[in-house]
Amino acid sequence: MDMKTPLSLALVFVSVFAVYCFDHALSTTVTYDHRALVIDGKRRVLQSGSIHYPRSTPEVWPELIWKSKEGGLDVIETYVFWNYHEPVRGEYYFEGRFDLVKFVRTVQEAGLMVHLRIGPYACAEWNFGSVKSFSLVILVLSVKSKEMLRFLAKIVGLMKEEKLFASQGGPIILAQVENEYELVEWAYGVAGELYVNWAAEAAISLNTTVPWVMCRQEDAPDPIINTCNGFYCDQFTPNSPSKPKMWTENYSGWFKSFGYPIPHRPVEDLAFAVARFFEMGGTFHNYYMYFGGTNFGRTAGGPLVATSYDYDAPIDEYGFIRQPKWGHLRDLHLAIKHCEEYLIRSDPTHQQLGHNLEAHIYYKSSNKCAAFLANYDSELDANVTFNGNLYFLPAWSVSILPDCKNVIFNTAKVVSQRILAHTTTANKLILSATSWSWYVEKPGVWGNNSLTESRLLEQINTTKDTSDYLWYTTSINIMPGQSKEVFLLIESLGHAALIFVNKKLVAFGYGNHDDASFSINEKISLVEGNNTLDIMSMMVGLQNFGPWFDVQGAGIFSVVLIDPWNNKYDVSAEEWTYQVGLEGEYLGLDKVIHANSSVWIKGSVPPINKTLIWYKVSFLTPQGNGPLALNLTSMGKGQAWVNGQSIGRNWPAYLSPSEGCTENCDYRGEYDSTKCQKNCGQPAQTLYHVPRSWVHPGQNLLVLHEELGGDPTKISVLTRTSQEICSFVSEDDPQPADFWILNMGFGSRSPEARLTCEQGWHITSINFASFGSPQGNCGAFSVGTCHANILPMVQKACIGEEQCSVPVSTANLGDPCPGVLKTLAIEAICSD
């Protein structure tokens, strides 16, 4: 038997989406009608995915976009991040990770389209929602915000100058103004309604020549398209019969927050939501996120949004394909593409098939149609009859029939491969007897640029977001006869604070993502005479959502002493001295040019479990070309820099609640972000992404600032070197959707077990292969009572290849037990 035949077929399926590439002509017209976006006079059914360019680095953009294209996307969506493009009013930055033009051109070079969500408010769990602090009050309260219009005009002008709109031969087919304003509009009354109309008029006046959208904005005025955001949008109806049904944010998972479990959305539910949307008239759909990436530096919003913005997306934070999510959605996109000629011609016809069972049929002619069969019951599987044929529908699933007869995809039947684990190698950062350096900060005011006020200042307005840190310092005088034992009650708007009395740490308090405020009630011992109280107030990402989020504030707002007789002494109105930032920030200890500064103390063993300490060490880059990660499990809370580049905030000491997670998540039934959580009782994040382009051969500089106390000698640098993958496919699983597209019709074809390594990796071993009744799950397969030993055949077909496929049929694999439904199970190792 020649097992190379299925391999050659597998090489075809990788490029099947090439036939759907966007043809970037000299000029492309983009309009819309009630069914779809209309591109050069033709209605299109479009799959889109969010990739935010600053959450990765330019050298990986081509690979991310290529993987998106191979996953079946037509469009890449991105926000534009105002507060980093215009850090100072009138001064613009479009370099490095923020090179918007380069990103859009990279999408264009891949043959895909762009949805540019200019905003300029983005939310996106980004610091201040991407709004620049100098215009917050103007933006929210004024109907005609000159600042907002000025930035919109800047971005639109830049795109026109670079000829990036579709009418100029560019890839931009859609633009967005504002973002989910409907959710806060009520708080501003009539002014909010007027603002929506003004924003729409401002956008239209910029003459982009492509349609504008307002997401989640029911009162978006014509011709602005109002779109849906959410976990499900099948029931969404646009606010005008002339507008198409569009879904701009389908959450592929959810974002991580420090102190919370890790969210996970099963792909069966995600695929169900997408299929239901197209079943019921949708024609444009976007995954938020398709690649989430990393909140480098202080870009993470808040409060307490984690540095990782992985989002459980089809492409993970490091740029690796996440299976089976990527593969199952790819198969879904293929199936929907095969229905496109039907979806664009008419509205669907509804047919009830039973309780919580229905079909929607799209007709091309009286005898040609495509159909979606849905079982939206959250518990009961069902057998249904449609067009005289019997079909099995698992609970909470949709089957797609491009010819109203043959099922080529069911959302609950995952036949794409799974990735069990990635193997990493580690280099311990214990390099030599003199490799470590450190600098310990002293609590309180450290410079001559402090300020003094007889009141407690709000933190954001004081720091102007130039630092996460603000020192509050005052003196407490204990007269003879006064109690030296008192309770110290401190109340904060957020987000965390270290409390020092007479330069000794006495307490640490913090909030959480849902409520950043907190209070500290600590018994302290004072001395007769003067005592110092130093409070290090720390922000962990500025608020990025909600009405009046610009005035919610952060920092200390009340300090009270309570003696044993319950007498209260409010020191909030006493004289306070304020110092913005850390001394180490002022000294530039995170910068490479100060690596040899005399302030660093050198030694063979650094102090551990100390608060407010800086560490410096050199490390060798692990071999390979892939991304790196720092394992910071041994640290408490702080920030880290590699060769002067900030990899973000870390807080491994903040553990999530021990309850609320499940080992076996049931995808059936409506999903929310708390349904299928993982890692209860663990930190939200321990591994921190270091892009490969940020390191170089030889010695690299790692600088850490530790706020609580940790052990830096246990830090390791990691890289992925291999992955364990598996496939589990039965004889009765749907036949490959790409087969029908390539053949433009139906015929006899077996389902396939497909194995695909990361780009550049190859299959190095087959650990298990059985056709019959294999037992167990991926990673723990065993031979069943029915077994055909096909290991040699699979090894011959797959070892040394980047990808391979094996048809699941007795004609290819033999028949070890006639009359019994058989399954093929394969486990393999891919290595770089």
Side-chain angles (χ1 to χ4, degrees):
M1 175 185 316
D2 183 8
M3 291 296 290
K4 291 297 182 182
T5 301
L7 176 59
S8 63
L9 291 174
L11 296 178
V12 175
F13 88 80
V14 173
S15 58
V16 67
F17 285 107
V19 297
Y20 294 104
C21 287
F22 183 48
D23 181 15
H24 297 289
L26 293 178
S27 178
T28 299
T29 302
V30 184
T31 58
Y32 66 84
D33 62 20
H34 78 288
R35 282 299 301 134
L37 290 178
V38 180
I39 300 176
D40 277 344
K42 181 180 179 180
R43 290 173 177 167
R44 292 293 302 273
V45 172
L46 298 172
Q47 300 287 355
S48 174
S50 295
I51 298 177
H52 296 160
Y53 52 98
R55 284 175 161 144
S56 57
T57 49
E59 74 279 356
V60 301
W61 291 344
E63 182 179 349
L64 294 175
I65 294 165
W66 178 82
K67 289 178 177 177
S68 302
K69 180 178 178 179
E70 291 302 313
L73 300 192
D74 309 286
V75 181
I76 299 297
E77 173 275 334
T78 188
Y79 281 122
V80 178
F81 295 90
W82 184 7
N83 55 358
Y84 279 76
H85 284 306
E86 191 179 7
V88 178
R89 190 180 188 279
E91 297 180 13
Y92 297 97
Y93 181 78
F94 293 98
E95 305 295 330
R97 292 187 292 119
F98 293 90
D99 192 338
L100 174 60
V101 169
K102 182 175 182 177
F103 179 78
V104 174
R105 288 202 185 284
T106 304
V107 176
Q108 182 179 24
E109 289 165 3
L112 299 183
M113 296 168 272
V114 172
H115 177 197
L116 194 65
R117 304 176 76 182
I118 306 174
Y121 167 70
C123 184
E125 292 70 55
W126 187 270
N127 201 44
F128 251 161
S130 95
V131 175
K132 188 57 191 167
S133 59
F134 64 69
S135 60
L136 265 171
V137 175
I138 298 175
L139 177 65
V140 175
L141 297 181
S142 173
V143 173
K144 292 186 177 181
S145 169
K146 294 181 181 179
E147 298 296 334
M148 172 181 169
L149 181 57
R150 186 172 56 82
F151 185 74
L152 279 170
K154 172 67 178 180
I155 298 301
V156 170
L158 178 62
M159 297 300 104
K160 287 182 177 180
E161 181 182 325
E162 299 291 336
K163 302 187 183 305
L164 293 175
F165 284 106
S167 61
Q168 303 172 294
I172 301 173
I173 62 165
L174 283 171
Q176 178 177 303
V177 63
E178 253 304 330
N179 189 71
E180 296 185 330
Y181 189 76
E182 174 184 289
L183 298 178
V184 301
E185 183 178 343
W186 60 269
Y188 306 105
V190 174
E193 297 175 17
L194 293 173
Y195 169 74
V196 170
N197 286 288
W198 172 83
E201 292 172 2
I204 296 299
S205 71
L206 296 174
N207 191 29
T208 62
T209 68
V210 301
W212 283 89
V213 305
M214 279 185 170
C215 69
R216 205 162 183 175
Q217 193 65 47
E218 188 174 353
D219 59 348
D222 292 343
I224 305 291
I225 306 170
N226 68 304
T227 65
C228 183
N229 289 357
F231 290 114
Y232 307 94
C233 282
D234 48 283
Q235 300 299 319
F236 169 75
T237 302
N239 64 8
S240 167
S242 65
K243 299 177 183 179
K245 182 173 180 174
M246 297 175 61
W247 190 357
T248 40
E249 290 188 13
N250 178 9
Y251 308 121
S252 58
W254 202 244
F255 59 89
K256 297 177 183 178
S257 298
F258 292 125
Y260 284 61
I262 297 175
H264 166 64
R265 187 178 188 187
V267 69
E268 296 92 337
D269 175 71
L270 182 57
F272 173 79
V274 176
R276 286 286 280 171
F277 177 72
F278 285 97
E279 173 189 352
M280 301 181 73
T283 51
F284 180 98
H285 159 260
N286 178 75
Y287 294 101
Y288 188 99
M289 302 289 298
Y290 199 77
F291 163 78
T294 307
N295 292 315
F296 297 114
R298 298 172 54 246
T299 60
L304 281 75
V305 171
T307 295
S308 170
Y309 202 67
D310 180 87
Y311 225 89
D312 198 30
I315 303 175
D316 74 14
E317 178 183 4
Y318 297 87
F320 291 98
I321 287 174
R322 173 175 277 116
Q323 297 284 26
K325 185 166 280 189
W326 184 91
H328 193 52
L329 295 177
R330 178 190 176 281
D331 292 344
L332 169 63
H333 303 154
L334 282 165
I336 292 172
K337 279 294 183 187
H338 196 64
C339 302
E340 182 173 24
E341 62 178 319
Y342 300 93
L343 296 175
I344 62 177
R345 286 180 177 269
S346 66
D347 294 326
T349 299
H350 175 260
Q351 181 178 333
Q352 197 68 34
L353 301 177
H355 180 64
N356 291 337
L357 301 165
E358 63 184 2
H360 285 83
I361 307 102
Y362 290 85
Y363 288 97
K364 184 177 180 180
S365 63
S366 59
N367 61 349
K368 289 186 176 181
C369 63
F372 294 76
L373 310 184
N375 179 355
Y376 51 95
D377 195 288
S378 61
E379 296 181 358
L380 301 177
D381 299 339
N383 290 298
V384 300
T385 299
F386 174 72
N387 279 359
N389 297 311
L390 187 66
Y391 298 91
F392 174 69
L393 287 176
W396 206 254
S397 78
V398 175
S399 286
I400 299 176
L401 293 66
D403 62 346
C404 279
K405 181 180 180 181
N406 292 280
V407 175
I408 64 169
F409 184 86
N410 179 272
T411 60
K413 293 185 177 181
V414 181
V415 298
S416 61
Q417 76 177 36
R418 299 173 184 267
I419 295 178
L420 305 181
H422 286 95
T423 304
T424 61
T425 59
N427 289 345
K428 294 290 183 180
L429 299 183
I430 303 174
L431 304 179
S432 69
T434 58
S435 62
W436 286 97
S437 300
W438 60 90
Y439 179 75
V440 181
E441 296 208 12
K442 296 178 181 179
V445 175
W446 47 263
N448 57 12
N449 58 344
S450 60
L451 66 147
T452 300
E453 293 276 352
S454 294
R455 60 190 178 100
L456 291 170
L457 298 181
E458 191 277 326
Q459 185 164 352
I460 300 172
N461 286 324
T462 305
T463 65
K464 308 301 183 186
D465 195 29
T466 58
S467 173
D468 281 353
Y469 308 98
L470 178 63
W471 281 107
Y472 292 71
T473 295
T474 192
S475 296
I476 301 170
N477 191 34
I478 299 297
M479 302 295 291
Q482 283 186 306
S483 174
K484 301 181 183 65
E485 304 293 322
V486 298
F487 279 93
L488 175 63
L489 177 60
I490 295 176
E491 295 184 87
S492 173
L493 295 171
H495 306 150
L498 289 164
I499 314 300
F500 298 85
V501 174
N502 293 325
K503 308 302 180 183
K504 294 182 178 180
L505 179 64
V506 297
F508 173 58
Y510 51 92
N512 58 56
H513 172 70
D514 293 305
D515 182 6
S517 65
F518 63 93
S519 61
I520 296 173
N521 191 353
E522 188 75 19
K523 186 177 182 179
I524 62 173
S525 297
L526 302 175
V527 298
E528 189 174 300
N530 191 53
N531 296 263
T532 60
L533 174 62
D534 299 300
I535 304 173
M536 165 57 77
S537 181
M538 300 173 280
M539 295 189 297
V540 190
L542 299 185
Q543 188 77 25
N544 55 259
F545 178 76
W548 309 105
F549 74 86
D550 56 307
V551 296
Q552 290 189 14
I556 309 302
F557 69 89
S558 176
V559 180
V560 176
L561 298 177
I562 305 174
D563 68 17
W565 300 279
N566 209 34
N567 295 310
K568 297 181 179 180
Y569 303 90
D570 191 344
V571 297
S572 304
E574 297 297 326
E575 184 176 276
W576 289 84
T577 301
Y578 298 91
Q579 181 78 64
V580 175
L582 302 168
E583 184 181 18
E585 290 178 314
Y586 176 78
L587 294 173
L589 297 184
D590 56 306
K591 296 177 172 56
V592 175
I593 59 173
H594 295 140
N596 295 318
S597 171
S598 60
V599 303
W600 289 108
I601 300 171
K602 296 181 180 180
S604 57
V605 181
I608 65 172
N609 299 322
K610 286 189 68 68
T611 186
L612 297 182
I613 185 171
W614 293 77
Y615 296 106
K616 176 175 72 76
V617 71
S618 295
F619 68 94
L620 290 172
T621 305
Q623 293 182 349
N625 299 313
L628 310 176
L630 277 183
N631 187 337
L632 298 179
T633 306
S634 63
M635 304 305 288
K637 178 182 183 296
Q639 298 185 50
W641 297 261
V642 172
N643 292 328
Q645 299 276 5
S646 173
I647 64 170
R649 304 181 183 99
N650 63 80
W651 199 344
Y654 198 168
L655 304 183
S656 65
S658 58
E659 297 181 350
C661 294
T662 177
E663 289 294 327
N664 299 306
C665 175
D666 187 348
Y667 70 86
R668 300 174 302 174
E670 289 197 0
Y671 175 82
D672 63 57
S673 61
T674 65
K675 181 179 179 182
C676 296
Q677 298 179 128
K678 299 179 177 180
N679 280 42
C680 281
Q682 301 295 319
Q685 184 177 359
T686 57
L687 300 182
Y688 290 79
H689 179 203
V690 181
R692 177 66 68 160
S693 62
W694 287 7
V695 298
H696 47 252
Q699 297 291 327
N700 294 269
L701 179 67
L702 170 64
V703 174
L704 304 113
H705 177 252
E706 176 55 45
E707 300 163 10
L708 303 182
D711 186 352
T713 66
K714 295 180 180 177
I715 293 173
S716 55
V717 124
L718 309 173
T719 185
R720 294 180 182 176
T721 56
S722 66
Q723 60 182 178
E724 187 177 359
I725 61 177
C726 74
S727 184
F728 188 82
V729 183
S730 297
E731 289 179 294
D732 65 341
D733 282 329
Q735 298 171 342
D738 54 296
F739 173 77
W740 310 129
I741 290 180
L742 291 169
N743 287 274
M744 299 302 172
F746 296 87
S748 177
R749 175 76 183 279
S750 302
E752 293 178 346
R754 291 171 171 172
L755 300 173
T756 304
C757 300
E758 279 292 329
Q759 187 177 18
W761 291 15
H762 297 86
I763 298 171
T764 53
S765 66
I766 303 296
N767 294 344
F768 181 90
S770 176
F771 180 60
S773 57
Q775 303 297 304
N777 298 312
C778 289
F781 284 135
S782 60
V783 172
T785 55
C786 174
H787 166 64
N789 181 16
I790 58 167
L791 182 60
M793 292 188 295
V794 176
Q795 289 173 327
K796 180 181 178 182
C798 296
I799 289 180
E801 304 292 344
E802 187 172 316
Q803 58 188 4
C804 65
S805 64
V806 180
V808 183
S809 70
T810 55
N812 289 311
L813 305 175
D815 193 348
C817 43
V820 176
L821 181 66
K822 287 166 282 295
T823 297
L824 173 61
I826 305 174
E827 288 180 7
I829 298 292
C830 294
S831 300
D832 61 4

